[in-house]
Amino acid sequence: VQLQASGGGLAQPGGSLRLSCAFSEDYYMVGWFRQAPGKEREGVAISRRRESTIYADSAKGRFTISRDTTNRRVYLQMNYLKPEDTAVYYCAARMNRLIQSAAFDAAQYYYWGQGTLVTVSS
């Protein structure tokens, strides 16, 4: 298993959760996608080695992605959660760089974790 995601669960609106993804290789890009019921998978946040992080508009100001290079982990701190954040969250990675405009194209990521469910509900 190349990527292992954890940390999902139930949170109330306005609450917080932190997702964690352990990975086995020195990927250039590692990040998070999510898929809500009946919707397409969408990018949330991407960490790039030696470059700035990328956030979807829905995540800006609320979510923070961070990368622990030594321990090969990437985290997604999610604050001010909303019901519309409810989804299965997937950790994804690719070895090579993508241009920023393609960073949220799920088809460009060859390695995926198993997904972790985040439910935001009162």
Side-chain angles (χ1 to χ4, degrees), residues 23-118:
F23 50 93
S24 58
E25 303 291 336
D26 190 18
Y27 300 110
Y28 193 93
M29 300 177 71
V30 186
W32 296 92
F33 288 74
R34 67 185 183 186
Q35 189 164 19
K39 294 189 176 182
E40 291 189 358
R41 193 168 296 190
E42 63 177 4
V44 178
I46 302 294
S47 168
R48 299 182 292 177
R49 199 171 65 222
R50 296 189 299 274
E51 291 190 75
S52 60
T53 54
I54 305 171
Y55 292 97
D57 287 344
S58 60
K60 289 177 181 176
R62 300 188 302 126
F63 295 0
T64 302
I65 188 170
S66 59
R67 186 171 185 168
D68 180 344
T69 303
T70 301
N71 294 304
R72 290 184 176 170
R73 285 186 175 269
V74 68
Y75 302 98
L76 185 68
Q77 178 66 44
M78 303 187 293
N79 298 327
Y80 307 107
L81 284 162
K82 304 175 182 180
E84 50 263 44
D85 294 319
T86 296
V88 177
Y89 283 70
Y90 296 91
C91 180
R94 61 174 279 134
M95 195 63 72
N96 301 314
R97 185 180 183 274
L98 278 175
I99 59 174
Q100 186 158 336
S101 60
F104 288 141
D105 181 356
Q108 301 296 327
Y109 290 79
Y110 306 130
Y111 306 101
W112 291 85
Q114 81 284 11
T116 185
L117 178 62
V118 171

Side-chain angles (χ1 to χ4, degrees), residues 12-24:
Q12 292 190 338
S16 299
L17 283 173
R18 189 174 84 150
L19 306 182
S20 175
C21 175
F23 50 93
S24 58

